[in-house]
Amino acid sequence: QVNNMLLETQDLTIWICDIFEIERTPTTFTTDNAPFNFISCRISGKGYFKQNGKIFPYNPGELILSPGNISYSQCCEEDEHLIVIHSKIGGYWPKEIEVIKLYDPEGMIKAFRKMYEAWKSKLPGYRYTCNYIFYKQLAYETSMKEYSSSPALSRIRPSVEYMQKNFSSPNITIHDIAKQSFISDIYFSKLFIKAYKMPAVKYLTEIRINHAKSLIASEVYTFEQVSSLCGFSSYKYFFEVFKRNVGKSPTEFRKENPVNYEIMFDGGSPF
C-alpha cells in the first residue's frame, strides 16, 4: 500500500526536532504513541509496518512517514540503514503510516545525508540549512510528480522552469521560452495550452501577478519597485494589468491585505 499525501499537501510545515542515523540488524518492535512524527529515508533494508491490521511494506530509497500518537509494529527483515527526522507537522495531520515511492530516491538519500551532517555540526543556522535542504527536495519530488503525469508538460519542462526563474525580466519573449525546450514557438504554444489550458503569456502574467501580491502585502516595497521586480515594462502597465487580473488596484489590494506580524503556533512552540 502506497500513500503519497505528504507530497500532495501544499501548506505543509515541518519543524525538525532532531535528526539521527540508525543501523540495525533484523528485528521486530512496537512503537506506542510517540510524541512526534518520524520521517525516515531508507538507505538499505526491507521490511514492513503493521498498523490496525494493515501492512505497509517498505524498500530502500523510499520515504516513510510514521505519525505520532498512534501505535504500530515494525519488522526489519534484513540489515537496514536509515536516517530519521523527529518532527512536528503543521498543515497536515496523518492518521496512518505513509510509504512514499520517490521519483529521485538517490536525490532524497543525498538530501537526508546532508541534513544529518548539518544537524550534527550545530553550526550557526543549521536548522535553517536542514529545512532548506528538505523543502527543496520535496519541491523537486512534487514537480516531478506533476511532470510525469503529462507528456506535454514533461516536454516543455525546461521552458516552464525558465519562465519561473526569469519572470522578472520584462524582455522575455515566447521565442526565448520555447528555445529552452528546443522546439519552435508554434509547437511550444500548442503543447503549453494542452498542458496548462491557457496561453504561455497568460501563465507568465499570473506568475508576475502572484509575486506582485506577495511584495505588495509585505509593505516593504513601493509600487514602482514591485513593478520592476515583477517584470513589468512600466509602472503604468503594471497598474493596468494588476487591476485587470485581480479586480482591484495595487493600492486597494494593499489596504485590504495588511501585514500580520504575529506568528502563531497551535499548541505553542514546536521546539
Side-chain angles (χ1 to χ4, degrees), residues 113-142:
R113 288 187 187 276
K114 288 180 181 178
M115 284 189 288
Y116 178 59
E117 292 303 319
W119 193 268
K120 284 196 305 179
S121 75
K122 295 295 188 290
L123 292 173
Y126 72 95
R127 286 186 184 272
Y128 295 116
T129 298
C130 291
N131 276 312
Y132 167 75
I133 293 170
F134 191 43
Y135 279 125
K136 183 179 180 182
Q137 195 62 31
L138 287 181
Y140 179 73
E141 282 290 328
T142 302

Side-chain angles (χ1 to χ4, degrees), residues 34-220:
F36 38 69
N37 304 283
F38 299 95
I39 303 176
S40 60
C41 185
R42 252 53 181 193
I43 298 170
S44 62
K46 296 181 180 181
Y48 63 86
F49 292 91
K50 186 174 183 179
Q51 179 196 354
N52 296 330
K54 293 183 180 180
I55 301 295
F56 302 85
Y58 61 80
N59 295 285
E62 293 177 339
L63 194 67
I64 300 171
L65 170 61
S66 308
N69 301 313
I70 65 170
S71 297
Y72 57 88
S73 61
Q74 181 178 348
C75 175
C76 309
E77 298 177 322
E78 54 189 43
D79 291 351
E80 69 176 12
H81 180 197
L82 61 152
I83 296 175
V84 182
I85 298 174
H86 280 182
S87 67
K88 292 183 180 293
I89 298 178
Y92 178 51
W93 295 270
K95 299 299 183 183
E96 63 178 25
I97 303 288
E98 292 189 13
V99 179
I100 303 166
K101 292 190 179 296
L102 302 169
Y103 292 93
D104 182 19
E106 288 302 317
M108 187 65 75
I109 289 173
K110 288 179 182 178
F112 266 68
R113 288 187 187 276
K114 288 180 181 178
M115 284 189 288
Y116 178 59
E117 292 303 319
W119 193 268
K120 284 196 305 179
S121 75
K122 295 295 188 290
L123 292 173
Y126 72 95
R127 286 186 184 272
Y128 295 116
T129 298
C130 291
N131 276 312
Y132 167 75
I133 293 170
F134 191 43
Y135 279 125
K136 183 179 180 182
Q137 195 62 31
L138 287 181
Y140 179 73
E141 282 290 328
T142 302
S143 67
M144 288 302 295
K145 179 178 183 294
E146 182 179 358
Y147 287 128
S148 66
S149 66
S150 169
L153 184 55
S154 180
R155 181 68 182 85
I156 61 174
R157 176 184 173 189
S159 296
V160 175
E161 292 179 348
Y162 179 80
M163 280 192 284
Q164 293 169 344
K165 292 177 182 178
N166 296 278
F167 67 86
S168 60
S169 170
N171 300 318
I172 186 173
T173 66
I174 291 298
H175 179 69
D176 295 329
I177 297 168
K179 187 167 61 175
Q180 308 307 310
S181 297
F182 302 100
I183 55 179
S184 70
D185 301 6
I186 294 175
Y187 187 44
F188 165 73
S189 297
K190 180 180 178 181
L191 288 178
F192 194 94
I193 291 174
K194 183 176 181 180
Y196 283 94
K197 314 302 181 189
M198 69 173 75
V201 171
K202 180 174 175 58
Y203 178 82
L204 183 60
T205 299
E206 287 191 356
I207 294 176
R208 288 169 168 165
I209 291 297
N210 287 333
H211 189 55
K213 286 180 179 179
S214 298
L215 298 183
I216 291 170
S218 73
E219 296 185 4
V220 173

Side-chain angles (χ1 to χ4, degrees), residues 21-41:
E21 187 174 28
I22 296 175
E23 294 185 65
R24 57 189 170 209
T25 56
T27 185
T28 301
F29 58 92
T30 300
T31 300
D32 291 311
N33 299 310
F36 38 69
N37 304 283
F38 299 95
I39 303 176
S40 60
C41 185

